[in-house]
């Protein structure tokens, strides 16, 4: 017993000091990976290049009178009179209401129709599904200017010119392909076994879609809603072509028609303030939901 004990005590320290042959060096977790300083310099440069125009917009919105023509990095006498004038303008508030109605209705209708189309493309067995999805996406390649003039003539004939419905329909044409493509990628990632188990319990295909697939696709629906809402909110060309009165103009067009208090007054301050007002909510929305937006744009990129 004494010899065995002595052998164990002498062999233990030697074993502790030696690295085992089968061990591999511990790797740094992905979240703790260090970026090269050159990468940080590039990221900071890109962020600065992107934020300088927005900062200059905010800077201009805080100026008034002769200071608008001065290229000051910081306003010497900042004022919020431009923001007060914007919110006291009845035309701007009306345009803001129109933009909210158009964006919300277009996003809701696009989600409803795109969810059915995307589910069919992701689950049903049909030939040339890739070709069908390509044709759907090809709609977005057409520039809006190509259909603006024909829509102008058609809408005037059938009575949809200068109406909210006349703006919702063409914007929905461009919003649907984006929504279908994004939701198709999400539906492909949902396991088929969940639907098959619902079928075993006696569920119909529509019941399985409504009670099983849609609850699991809520992140995808949220991502698609954000992307569609932003694209509809910022659209300008169709809005300025298909409207002529303040009753139907959305915010981007209403800002373009801002006028000064006199013939020689430049409404640069009020235009900048109105642009900040309609941009800040979108920036906050993107910052809060940036992970969902990135996952929606990259979903299905690896998996088929």
């Amino acid at each position: 017993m004494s010899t065995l004990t002595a052998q164990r005590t002498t062999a233990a320290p030697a074993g502790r000091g030696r690295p085992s042959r089968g061990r591999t060096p511990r790797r740094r977790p992905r979240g703790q990976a260090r970026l090269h300083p050159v990468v940080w310099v590039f990221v900071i440069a890109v962020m600065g290049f992107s934020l300088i125009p927005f900062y200059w917009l905010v800077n201009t919105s805080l100026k008034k009178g002769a200071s608008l023509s001065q290229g000051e990095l910081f306003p010497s006498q900042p004022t919020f009179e431009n923001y007060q004038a914007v919110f006291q303008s009845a035309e701007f508030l009306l345009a803001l209401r129109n933009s909210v109605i158009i964006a919300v209705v277009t996003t809701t209708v696009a989600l409803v129709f795109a969810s059915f189309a995307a589910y069919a493309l992701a689950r049903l067995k049909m030939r040339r599904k890739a070709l069908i999805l390509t044709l759907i996406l090809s709609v977005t390649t057409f520039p809006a200017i190509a259909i603006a003039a024909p829509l102008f003539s058609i809408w005037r004939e059938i009575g949809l010119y200068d109406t909210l419905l006349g703006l919702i329909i063409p914007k929905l044409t461009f919003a649907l392909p984006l929504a279908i493509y994004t939701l198709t990628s999400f539906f492909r990632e949902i396991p088929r076994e969940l639907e098959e188990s619902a079928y075993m319990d006696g569920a119909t295909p529509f019941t399985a879609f409504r009670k099983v697939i849609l609850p699991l696709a809520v992140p995808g629906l949220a991502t698609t809603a954000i992307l569609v809402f932003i694209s509809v909110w910022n659209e300008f060309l169709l809005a300025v072509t298909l409207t002529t009165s303040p009753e139907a103009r959305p915010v981007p067009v209403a800002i373009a028609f801002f006028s000064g208090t006199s013939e020689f007054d430049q409404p640069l301050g009020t235009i900048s303030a109105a642009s900040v007002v309609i941009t800040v909510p979108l920036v906050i929305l993107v910052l809060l939901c940036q992970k969902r937006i990135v996952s929606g744009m990259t979903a299905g990129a690896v998996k088929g």
Side-chain angles (χ1 to χ4, degrees), residues 122-157:
R123 284 292 190 262
L124 299 183
K125 294 181 180 180
M126 62 179 69
R127 302 176 63 181
R128 296 183 175 86
K129 289 195 294 184
L131 178 60
I132 296 174
L133 187 58
T134 302
L135 292 176
I136 292 175
L137 288 175
S138 65
V139 177
T140 59
T141 61
F142 289 95
I145 191 63
I147 65 172
L151 279 178
F152 176 81
S153 301
I154 297 173
W155 266 209
R156 288 179 65 90
E157 292 293 334

mmCIF file of all heavy atoms in Angstrom, residues 122-157:
data_model
loop_
_atom_site.group_PDB
_atom_site.id
_atom_site.type_symbol
_atom_site.label_atom_id
_atom_site.label_comp_id
_atom_site.label_asym_id
_atom_site.label_seq_id
_atom_site.Cartn_x
_atom_site.Cartn_y
_atom_site.Cartn_z
ATOM 1 N N ALA A 122 -43.402 27.941 -50.776
ATOM 2 C CA ALA A 122 -42.492 27.240 -49.878
ATOM 3 C C ALA A 122 -42.907 25.804 -49.597
ATOM 4 O O ALA A 122 -42.055 24.960 -49.310
ATOM 5 C CB ALA A 122 -42.377 28.008 -48.553
ATOM 6 N N ARG A 123 -44.193 25.491 -49.691
ATOM 7 C CA ARG A 123 -44.659 24.180 -49.254
ATOM 8 C C ARG A 123 -45.235 23.323 -50.381
ATOM 9 O O ARG A 123 -45.003 22.107 -50.415
ATOM 10 C CB ARG A 123 -45.730 24.359 -48.172
ATOM 11 C CG ARG A 123 -45.159 24.740 -46.822
ATOM 12 C CD ARG A 123 -44.361 23.580 -46.258
ATOM 13 N NE ARG A 123 -43.998 23.800 -44.883
ATOM 14 C CZ ARG A 123 -42.827 24.264 -44.477
ATOM 15 N NH1 ARG A 123 -41.901 24.596 -45.371
ATOM 16 N NH2 ARG A 123 -42.565 24.424 -43.186
ATOM 17 N N LEU A 124 -45.997 23.914 -51.295
ATOM 18 C CA LEU A 124 -46.660 23.097 -52.310
ATOM 19 C C LEU A 124 -45.653 22.559 -53.322
ATOM 20 O O LEU A 124 -44.648 23.213 -53.637
ATOM 21 C CB LEU A 124 -47.735 23.922 -53.023
ATOM 22 C CG LEU A 124 -48.873 24.452 -52.149
ATOM 23 C CD1 LEU A 124 -49.894 25.178 -53.006
ATOM 24 C CD2 LEU A 124 -49.541 23.329 -51.367
ATOM 25 N N LYS A 125 -45.943 21.373 -53.811
ATOM 26 C CA LYS A 125 -45.088 20.763 -54.827
ATOM 27 C C LYS A 125 -45.573 21.219 -56.201
ATOM 28 O O LYS A 125 -46.621 20.810 -56.684
ATOM 29 C CB LYS A 125 -45.162 19.243 -54.733
ATOM 30 C CG LYS A 125 -44.576 18.676 -53.436
ATOM 31 C CD LYS A 125 -44.655 17.152 -53.411
ATOM 32 C CE LYS A 125 -44.063 16.597 -52.131
ATOM 33 N NZ LYS A 125 -44.133 15.112 -52.089
ATOM 34 N N MET A 126 -44.799 22.075 -56.805
ATOM 35 C CA MET A 126 -45.124 22.579 -58.130
ATOM 36 C C MET A 126 -43.834 22.706 -58.939
ATOM 37 O O MET A 126 -42.745 22.849 -58.386
ATOM 38 C CB MET A 126 -45.844 23.932 -58.042
ATOM 39 C CG MET A 126 -45.023 25.031 -57.410
ATOM 40 S SD MET A 126 -45.894 26.621 -57.361
ATOM 41 C CE MET A 126 -47.160 26.243 -56.152
ATOM 42 N N ARG A 127 -43.987 22.666 -60.220
ATOM 43 C CA ARG A 127 -42.838 22.749 -61.091
ATOM 44 C C ARG A 127 -42.438 24.208 -61.330
ATOM 45 O O ARG A 127 -43.282 25.094 -61.398
ATOM 46 C CB ARG A 127 -43.153 22.066 -62.428
ATOM 47 C CG ARG A 127 -43.550 20.602 -62.291
ATOM 48 C CD ARG A 127 -43.936 20.006 -63.627
ATOM 49 N NE ARG A 127 -42.800 20.017 -64.552
ATOM 50 C CZ ARG A 127 -42.883 19.563 -65.806
ATOM 51 N NH1 ARG A 127 -44.039 19.110 -66.291
ATOM 52 N NH2 ARG A 127 -41.811 19.594 -66.580
ATOM 53 N N ARG A 128 -41.133 24.400 -61.421
ATOM 54 C CA ARG A 128 -40.556 25.705 -61.731
ATOM 55 C C ARG A 128 -40.945 26.771 -60.692
ATOM 56 O O ARG A 128 -41.348 27.885 -61.037
ATOM 57 C CB ARG A 128 -40.971 26.149 -63.135
ATOM 58 C CG ARG A 128 -40.440 25.241 -64.242
ATOM 59 C CD ARG A 128 -40.846 25.797 -65.609
ATOM 60 N NE ARG A 128 -40.252 24.996 -66.678
ATOM 61 C CZ ARG A 128 -40.807 23.898 -67.173
ATOM 62 N NH1 ARG A 128 -41.963 23.470 -66.683
ATOM 63 N NH2 ARG A 128 -40.216 23.231 -68.143
ATOM 64 N N LYS A 129 -40.827 26.404 -59.429
ATOM 65 C CA LYS A 129 -41.100 27.390 -58.390
ATOM 66 C C LYS A 129 -40.069 28.521 -58.403
ATOM 67 O O LYS A 129 -40.400 29.682 -58.132
ATOM 68 C CB LYS A 129 -41.119 26.717 -57.012
ATOM 69 C CG LYS A 129 -42.318 25.829 -56.780
ATOM 70 C CD LYS A 129 -42.479 25.496 -55.318
ATOM 71 C CE LYS A 129 -41.331 24.648 -54.812
ATOM 72 N NZ LYS A 129 -41.555 24.241 -53.405
ATOM 73 N N ALA A 130 -38.832 28.169 -58.705
ATOM 74 C CA ALA A 130 -37.798 29.212 -58.773
ATOM 75 C C ALA A 130 -38.090 30.214 -59.884
ATOM 76 O O ALA A 130 -37.869 31.422 -59.727
ATOM 77 C CB ALA A 130 -36.426 28.567 -58.981
ATOM 78 N N LEU A 131 -38.626 29.709 -61.009
ATOM 79 C CA LEU A 131 -38.973 30.600 -62.110
ATOM 80 C C LEU A 131 -40.129 31.517 -61.715
ATOM 81 O O LEU A 131 -40.130 32.715 -62.052
ATOM 82 C CB LEU A 131 -39.340 29.788 -63.345
ATOM 83 C CG LEU A 131 -39.768 30.585 -64.583
ATOM 84 C CD1 LEU A 131 -38.646 31.514 -65.026
ATOM 85 C CD2 LEU A 131 -40.192 29.650 -65.702
ATOM 86 N N ILE A 132 -41.108 30.981 -61.006
ATOM 87 C CA ILE A 132 -42.242 31.801 -60.562
ATOM 88 C C ILE A 132 -41.774 32.896 -59.610
ATOM 89 O O ILE A 132 -42.178 34.065 -59.729
ATOM 90 C CB ILE A 132 -43.308 30.908 -59.889
ATOM 91 C CG1 ILE A 132 -43.885 29.919 -60.908
ATOM 92 C CG2 ILE A 132 -44.411 31.764 -59.279
ATOM 93 C CD1 ILE A 132 -44.837 28.919 -60.299
ATOM 94 N N LEU A 133 -40.891 32.532 -58.675
ATOM 95 C CA LEU A 133 -40.380 33.535 -57.740
ATOM 96 C C LEU A 133 -39.538 34.578 -58.459
ATOM 97 O O LEU A 133 -39.577 35.769 -58.115
ATOM 98 C CB LEU A 133 -39.548 32.844 -56.651
ATOM 99 C CG LEU A 133 -39.073 33.716 -55.488
ATOM 100 C CD1 LEU A 133 -40.261 34.349 -54.783
ATOM 101 C CD2 LEU A 133 -38.242 32.906 -54.512
ATOM 102 N N THR A 134 -38.805 34.159 -59.476
ATOM 103 C CA THR A 134 -38.017 35.114 -60.260
ATOM 104 C C THR A 134 -38.918 36.092 -61.010
ATOM 105 O O THR A 134 -38.636 37.295 -61.078
ATOM 106 C CB THR A 134 -37.118 34.366 -61.249
ATOM 107 O OG1 THR A 134 -36.269 33.461 -60.527
ATOM 108 C CG2 THR A 134 -36.260 35.339 -62.043
ATOM 109 N N LEU A 135 -40.012 35.581 -61.565
ATOM 110 C CA LEU A 135 -40.944 36.467 -62.270
ATOM 111 C C LEU A 135 -41.598 37.459 -61.309
ATOM 112 O O LEU A 135 -41.838 38.621 -61.671
ATOM 113 C CB LEU A 135 -42.013 35.630 -62.977
ATOM 114 C CG LEU A 135 -41.533 34.771 -64.155
ATOM 115 C CD1 LEU A 135 -42.679 33.928 -64.699
ATOM 116 C CD2 LEU A 135 -40.941 35.651 -65.257
ATOM 117 N N ILE A 136 -41.879 37.005 -60.100
ATOM 118 C CA ILE A 136 -42.467 37.910 -59.106
ATOM 119 C C ILE A 136 -41.487 39.016 -58.744
ATOM 120 O O ILE A 136 -41.844 40.204 -58.669
ATOM 121 C CB ILE A 136 -42.891 37.115 -57.855
ATOM 122 C CG1 ILE A 136 -44.058 36.182 -58.186
ATOM 123 C CG2 ILE A 136 -43.284 38.057 -56.719
ATOM 124 C CD1 ILE A 136 -44.452 35.270 -57.046
ATOM 125 N N LEU A 137 -40.231 38.637 -58.545
ATOM 126 C CA LEU A 137 -39.228 39.642 -58.199
ATOM 127 C C LEU A 137 -38.911 40.570 -59.362
ATOM 128 O O LEU A 137 -38.449 41.691 -59.159
ATOM 129 C CB LEU A 137 -37.940 38.952 -57.726
ATOM 130 C CG LEU A 137 -37.997 38.295 -56.347
ATOM 131 C CD1 LEU A 137 -36.699 37.557 -56.063
ATOM 132 C CD2 LEU A 137 -38.266 39.325 -55.271
ATOM 133 N N SER A 138 -39.133 40.097 -60.588
ATOM 134 C CA SER A 138 -38.824 40.941 -61.746
ATOM 135 C C SER A 138 -39.707 42.180 -61.811
ATOM 136 O O SER A 138 -39.359 43.164 -62.471
ATOM 137 C CB SER A 138 -38.977 40.130 -63.038
ATOM 138 O OG SER A 138 -40.329 39.730 -63.228
ATOM 139 N N VAL A 139 -40.846 42.143 -61.115
ATOM 140 C CA VAL A 139 -41.718 43.329 -61.086
ATOM 141 C C VAL A 139 -41.003 44.507 -60.442
ATOM 142 O O VAL A 139 -41.180 45.664 -60.853
ATOM 143 C CB VAL A 139 -43.024 42.995 -60.351
ATOM 144 C CG1 VAL A 139 -43.916 44.225 -60.240
ATOM 145 C CG2 VAL A 139 -43.763 41.870 -61.051
ATOM 146 N N THR A 140 -40.183 44.219 -59.438
ATOM 147 C CA THR A 140 -39.492 45.303 -58.738
ATOM 148 C C THR A 140 -38.373 45.912 -59.571
ATOM 149 O O THR A 140 -37.867 46.986 -59.226
ATOM 150 C CB THR A 140 -38.897 44.778 -57.422
ATOM 151 O OG1 THR A 140 -37.969 43.713 -57.713
ATOM 152 C CG2 THR A 140 -39.990 44.253 -56.507
ATOM 153 N N THR A 141 -37.963 45.254 -60.643
ATOM 154 C CA THR A 141 -36.892 45.808 -61.481
ATOM 155 C C THR A 141 -37.399 46.914 -62.404
ATOM 156 O O THR A 141 -36.597 47.696 -62.908
ATOM 157 C CB THR A 141 -36.250 44.700 -62.330
ATOM 158 O OG1 THR A 141 -37.233 44.126 -63.200
ATOM 159 C CG2 THR A 141 -35.671 43.610 -61.439
ATOM 160 N N PHE A 142 -38.704 46.972 -62.635
ATOM 161 C CA PHE A 142 -39.247 48.018 -63.481
ATOM 162 C C PHE A 142 -39.225 49.343 -62.727
ATOM 163 O O PHE A 142 -39.718 49.426 -61.601
ATOM 164 C CB PHE A 142 -40.679 47.692 -63.901
ATOM 165 C CG PHE A 142 -40.779 46.563 -64.877
ATOM 166 C CD1 PHE A 142 -41.010 45.275 -64.442
ATOM 167 C CD2 PHE A 142 -40.638 46.783 -66.236
ATOM 168 C CE1 PHE A 142 -41.105 44.228 -65.338
ATOM 169 C CE2 PHE A 142 -40.722 45.744 -67.140
ATOM 170 C CZ PHE A 142 -40.956 44.464 -66.694
ATOM 171 N N PRO A 143 -38.685 50.392 -63.314
ATOM 172 C CA PRO A 143 -38.689 51.693 -62.624
ATOM 173 C C PRO A 143 -40.099 52.257 -62.548
ATOM 174 O O PRO A 143 -40.939 52.019 -63.426
ATOM 175 C CB PRO A 143 -37.784 52.568 -63.502
ATOM 176 C CG PRO A 143 -37.843 51.938 -64.851
ATOM 177 C CD PRO A 143 -38.011 50.462 -64.630
ATOM 178 N N ALA A 144 -40.352 53.000 -61.482
ATOM 179 C CA ALA A 144 -41.690 53.564 -61.290
ATOM 180 C C ALA A 144 -42.047 54.563 -62.380
ATOM 181 O O ALA A 144 -43.225 54.718 -62.721
ATOM 182 C CB ALA A 144 -41.775 54.226 -59.922
ATOM 183 N N ILE A 145 -41.041 55.219 -62.953
ATOM 184 C CA ILE A 145 -41.312 56.193 -64.003
ATOM 185 C C ILE A 145 -41.904 55.525 -65.238
ATOM 186 O O ILE A 145 -42.593 56.163 -66.044
ATOM 187 C CB ILE A 145 -40.010 56.952 -64.361
ATOM 188 C CG1 ILE A 145 -40.302 58.149 -65.247
ATOM 189 C CG2 ILE A 145 -39.009 56.018 -65.006
ATOM 190 C CD1 ILE A 145 -41.141 59.192 -64.635
ATOM 191 N N ALA A 146 -41.673 54.208 -65.411
ATOM 192 C CA ALA A 146 -42.179 53.504 -66.592
ATOM 193 C C ALA A 146 -43.692 53.339 -66.541
ATOM 194 O O ALA A 146 -44.344 53.230 -67.588
ATOM 195 C CB ALA A 146 -41.509 52.138 -66.725
ATOM 196 N N ILE A 147 -44.270 53.304 -65.350
ATOM 197 C CA ILE A 147 -45.722 53.126 -65.234
ATOM 198 C C ILE A 147 -46.422 54.388 -64.759
ATOM 199 O O ILE A 147 -47.645 54.401 -64.648
ATOM 200 C CB ILE A 147 -46.054 51.963 -64.280
ATOM 201 C CG1 ILE A 147 -45.596 52.289 -62.851
ATOM 202 C CG2 ILE A 147 -45.425 50.670 -64.761
ATOM 203 C CD1 ILE A 147 -46.055 51.282 -61.830
ATOM 204 N N ALA A 148 -45.667 55.442 -64.448
ATOM 205 C CA ALA A 148 -46.288 56.662 -63.923
ATOM 206 C C ALA A 148 -47.198 57.318 -64.948
ATOM 207 O O ALA A 148 -48.350 57.673 -64.647
ATOM 208 C CB ALA A 148 -45.208 57.633 -63.460
ATOM 209 N N ALA A 149 -46.707 57.485 -66.181
ATOM 210 C CA ALA A 149 -47.519 58.140 -67.215
ATOM 211 C C ALA A 149 -48.747 57.323 -67.593
ATOM 212 O O ALA A 149 -49.858 57.878 -67.679
ATOM 213 C CB ALA A 149 -46.652 58.427 -68.442
ATOM 214 N N PRO A 150 -48.638 55.993 -67.826
ATOM 215 C CA PRO A 150 -49.864 55.223 -68.111
ATOM 216 C C PRO A 150 -50.867 55.249 -66.961
ATOM 217 O O PRO A 150 -52.083 55.360 -67.195
ATOM 218 C CB PRO A 150 -49.334 53.814 -68.360
ATOM 219 C CG PRO A 150 -47.928 53.997 -68.777
ATOM 220 C CD PRO A 150 -47.434 55.176 -68.009
ATOM 221 N N LEU A 151 -50.370 55.158 -65.723
ATOM 222 C CA LEU A 151 -51.290 55.211 -64.591
ATOM 223 C C LEU A 151 -51.968 56.574 -64.491
ATOM 224 O O LEU A 151 -53.143 56.655 -64.104
ATOM 225 C CB LEU A 151 -50.530 54.913 -63.288
ATOM 226 C CG LEU A 151 -50.261 53.443 -62.973
ATOM 227 C CD1 LEU A 151 -49.465 53.324 -61.686
ATOM 228 C CD2 LEU A 151 -51.564 52.659 -62.869
ATOM 229 N N PHE A 152 -51.258 57.622 -64.823
ATOM 230 C CA PHE A 152 -51.845 58.958 -64.797
ATOM 231 C C PHE A 152 -53.056 59.033 -65.719
ATOM 232 O O PHE A 152 -54.115 59.558 -65.344
ATOM 233 C CB PHE A 152 -50.789 59.991 -65.198
ATOM 234 C CG PHE A 152 -51.310 61.387 -65.293
ATOM 235 C CD1 PHE A 152 -51.465 62.165 -64.168
ATOM 236 C CD2 PHE A 152 -51.661 61.927 -66.533
ATOM 237 C CE1 PHE A 152 -51.949 63.465 -64.259
ATOM 238 C CE2 PHE A 152 -52.143 63.217 -66.633
ATOM 239 C CZ PHE A 152 -52.286 63.995 -65.494
ATOM 240 N N SER A 153 -52.919 58.490 -66.941
ATOM 241 C CA SER A 153 -54.031 58.523 -67.898
ATOM 242 C C SER A 153 -55.169 57.601 -67.477
ATOM 243 O O SER A 153 -56.354 57.970 -67.554
ATOM 244 C CB SER A 153 -53.518 58.128 -69.289
ATOM 245 O OG SER A 153 -52.490 59.008 -69.720
ATOM 246 N N ILE A 154 -54.823 56.388 -67.019
ATOM 247 C CA ILE A 154 -55.863 55.426 -66.628
ATOM 248 C C ILE A 154 -56.624 55.911 -65.404
ATOM 249 O O ILE A 154 -57.858 55.839 -65.340
ATOM 250 C CB ILE A 154 -55.233 54.040 -66.391
ATOM 251 C CG1 ILE A 154 -54.621 53.504 -67.685
ATOM 252 C CG2 ILE A 154 -56.266 53.066 -65.846
ATOM 253 C CD1 ILE A 154 -53.840 52.221 -67.490
ATOM 254 N N TRP A 155 -55.895 56.411 -64.420
ATOM 255 C CA TRP A 155 -56.539 56.850 -63.183
ATOM 256 C C TRP A 155 -57.483 58.036 -63.422
ATOM 257 O O TRP A 155 -58.520 58.148 -62.778
ATOM 258 C CB TRP A 155 -55.464 57.224 -62.166
ATOM 259 C CG TRP A 155 -55.030 56.162 -61.191
ATOM 260 C CD1 TRP A 155 -54.551 56.368 -59.927
ATOM 261 C CD2 TRP A 155 -55.023 54.742 -61.359
ATOM 262 N NE1 TRP A 155 -54.237 55.187 -59.315
ATOM 263 C CE2 TRP A 155 -54.523 54.170 -60.168
ATOM 264 C CE3 TRP A 155 -55.383 53.892 -62.410
ATOM 265 C CZ2 TRP A 155 -54.386 52.791 -59.997
ATOM 266 C CZ3 TRP A 155 -55.234 52.513 -62.242
ATOM 267 C CH2 TRP A 155 -54.755 51.983 -61.059
ATOM 268 N N ARG A 156 -57.131 58.934 -64.340
ATOM 269 C CA ARG A 156 -58.013 60.054 -64.647
ATOM 270 C C ARG A 156 -59.292 59.589 -65.343
ATOM 271 O O ARG A 156 -60.355 60.194 -65.181
ATOM 272 C CB ARG A 156 -57.282 61.076 -65.528
ATOM 273 C CG ARG A 156 -56.222 61.874 -64.794
ATOM 274 C CD ARG A 156 -55.526 62.858 -65.727
ATOM 275 N NE ARG A 156 -56.459 63.870 -66.200
ATOM 276 C CZ ARG A 156 -56.678 65.031 -65.586
ATOM 277 N NH1 ARG A 156 -56.023 65.318 -64.470
ATOM 278 N NH2 ARG A 156 -57.529 65.907 -66.080
ATOM 279 N N GLU A 157 -59.201 58.514 -66.095
ATOM 280 C CA GLU A 157 -60.372 58.000 -66.803
ATOM 281 C C GLU A 157 -61.339 57.286 -65.867
ATOM 282 O O GLU A 157 -62.560 57.403 -66.014
ATOM 283 C CB GLU A 157 -59.938 57.053 -67.923
ATOM 284 C CG GLU A 157 -59.202 57.730 -69.066
ATOM 285 C CD GLU A 157 -60.103 58.661 -69.855
ATOM 286 O OE1 GLU A 157 -61.339 58.438 -69.870
ATOM 287 O OE2 GLU A 157 -59.585 59.634 -70.463
#
